[in-house]
Amino acid sequence: TKISGFPSSPPVAGVLPAAEMANKLVSDMCLPPHLAHLLAARRLTTAKDVLSLPEVELMSLLDAGLATARDAVCRVSEFACPPCQTALALLEERVRLGGGGRLATTLCGLDEALGGGIPLGKLTEVVGPSGIGKTQFCLKLALLATLPECYGGLNGRVVYIDTESKFSSRRMIEIGQKSFPQIFRQEGLAQKMAGRILVMRPASLSDFTKSLEQMKVTLLQNDVKLLIVDSVAAFMSSENERGTTGFTQHPLRWALSFLKSIAELTRIPVVVSNQVRSQSNDDGYHYSFEVKRRGDGDGAERLESHLVAALGIQWAHAVTIRLVFESHSGQRFIKVAKSPMSPAVAFPFIVESSGITLLNDEGIDVSGPEITSIRCQGQNLLGLLPFENRG
Amino acid sequence: MAPNEIAQKLLLQGAQNAWDMLSEEQSQKHITTGSGDLNGILGGGIHCKEVTEIGGVPGIGKTQLGIQLAINVQIPVDYGGLGGKAIYIDTEGSFMVERVYQIAEGCISDIMEYFPCHHDKSSSGQENLQPESFLAGIYYFRICSYTEQIAVINYLEKFLGEHKDVRIVIIDSVTFHFRQDFDDLALRTRVLCGLSLKLMKLSKSYNLAVVLLNQVTTKFTEGSFQLTLALGDSWSHSCTNRLILYWKGNERCAYLDKSPSLPVASTPYAVTSKGVRDAGSSSCKRVRVM
């Protein structure tokens, strides 16, 4: 039985070989002839086919001894294993590539907290209630990526996937003119920058998945330096968001892991915006060993429950950086909710003609799990779960 | 057969008597986590020759602890460490090298603090205590699919044969690809079982610690939804030790959920700019832009 799962993208010769380790052909592996024939006869053509089976099952499938099965697995594994690098080599590569591997957002406090800006090669999520400023943030990022390097940009193209028809060129140019007046005063520059932004408007989930499948080639051929998906949750409301029992192969799940792998392979930042929904009763709160306190007041309990659901557990594990946009006490905040190298800090901000501006670059330290909750006008909200699977 | 002959036969087949095992266990060094309290509930630290699973919600600090262990295993023997190297298998892309550098610096500054005169006496001390040499001691694999994950675990046998100084293998996280790309749950269980047996065997034959970072999911038990570690019930049997990281109010805590020799216990800990430390240390995790 074939294991379905990762849909195979159309093979593009010579492009990003590292990504296709799982699809490496057994015939390319220079195995000893008897093994090669044995595997071919059973239609085990890729590394994935061979390695997805436990050894004992492979043994019975090949109708061979354990030693043969082990030998096959050992050789195929060696070919399918990605190369190893020392952490020092990674650091030297990062230094060599320059720019600290970041896209600066020009919001000083946020950039400092993130170690320079939005990281290249990683998936960054922006989540918050509607109207809070996520699209404004994305518009500014798109503009920044197109600017020449001397102005802190990436001097490249941007692919902006606009699923809710929120992209406004007029607004983006306005942000540009107000934030960088000296640049935009130059003749024709606005047109040049705007011309570097490719806006895609998929009408349905299948359109979206299709355009993602072609994305790898698009990104490489057009020297794209930033990919934005605003928002990823738009197609959720029309689909059944809650998986019932067991695994549901939701197409959006594939899209999300694909975005992440694209980010790493092309070494560009991928920014994804996410919506929120209000709490439901099904959200899990505690581990079995934690004592459940009764009547302890709704405050603490609700906060903890929102933490769990807001992270949309499986999705939250997948993103590297999560920026929560929220409002409370009459102010809006950007919180660095998840980042391997940042402190838990929140920055108050406003949205004005030049886009988002921080009111305070020092930031407010946030302790405990509150950093991950999303509040809107006193209520706690939750990140929209693309899928809640119970497995 | 006489009892002596049976014992002889078993010894030939690789069995060991309990007394020899005890003396071996007592001479084992542990890998410090950076937090004395956390080491305390773990019986000194992470054990070699054992598989330890560490799970928790996103943002609690699993990757931080993984990186801390990858650095701490390299603490030279002169300073009470194992002087070994680390293999870091990254399935999620959360390994950020600037943070690793920062944690290495934090570790070195703590060593200098505890051993102020020592490094003058030790001949090799000074040169080795650079963050760059700690980074050079971490072998990093970036895994993008479950096929690659299976491949790298299979390949470890050969790699470890060639790199005998590795004393810890960290997989961050073991769950990621298996949760999303596997349709057939029963097959997934069998594959995972095979992997965990392999890892256990590697830990014993090469005398190293295996640390598996796991994600969290919700499970409906006893009339309500509870948090539990991912990958199901059968997987939960695979690891020797299990540590769960969770929030208690505003503090990070660790709960030792499973251990063959230690009682269940929990303790608070903190993640600071220097890495994992005891709770109550300066809890500011400010980062320096590199």
Side-chain angles (χ1 to χ4, degrees), chain B residues 61-133:
Chain B
K62 303 185 292 298
T63 301
Q64 302 297 311
L65 189 50
I67 296 175
Q68 186 72 64
L69 291 170
I71 296 287
N72 287 355
V73 73
Q74 300 183 57
I75 295 175
V77 174
D78 286 343
Y79 302 109
L82 275 75
K85 299 236 164 84
I87 291 179
Y88 198 99
I89 298 174
D90 183 6
T91 66
E92 296 180 352
S94 29
F95 188 82
M96 298 194 77
V97 93
E98 300 98 326
R99 180 61 174 150
V100 181
Y101 192 91
Q102 199 184 26
I103 291 183
E105 284 182 322
C107 177
I108 291 171
S109 92
D110 279 4
I111 292 178
M112 301 293 226
E113 210 182 297
Y114 292 146
F115 298 92
C117 316
H118 198 151
H119 67 268
D120 293 327
K121 291 189 246 169
S122 157
S123 54
S124 60
Q126 198 96 47
E127 307 92 64
N128 283 346
L129 285 190
Q130 295 295 324
E132 282 79 5
S133 54

Side-chain angles (χ1 to χ4, degrees), chain A residues 6-24:
Chain A
F6 218 84
S8 51
S9 43
V12 182
V15 169
L16 309 172
E20 309 301 333
M21 286 289 181
N23 295 331
K24 265 195 167 166

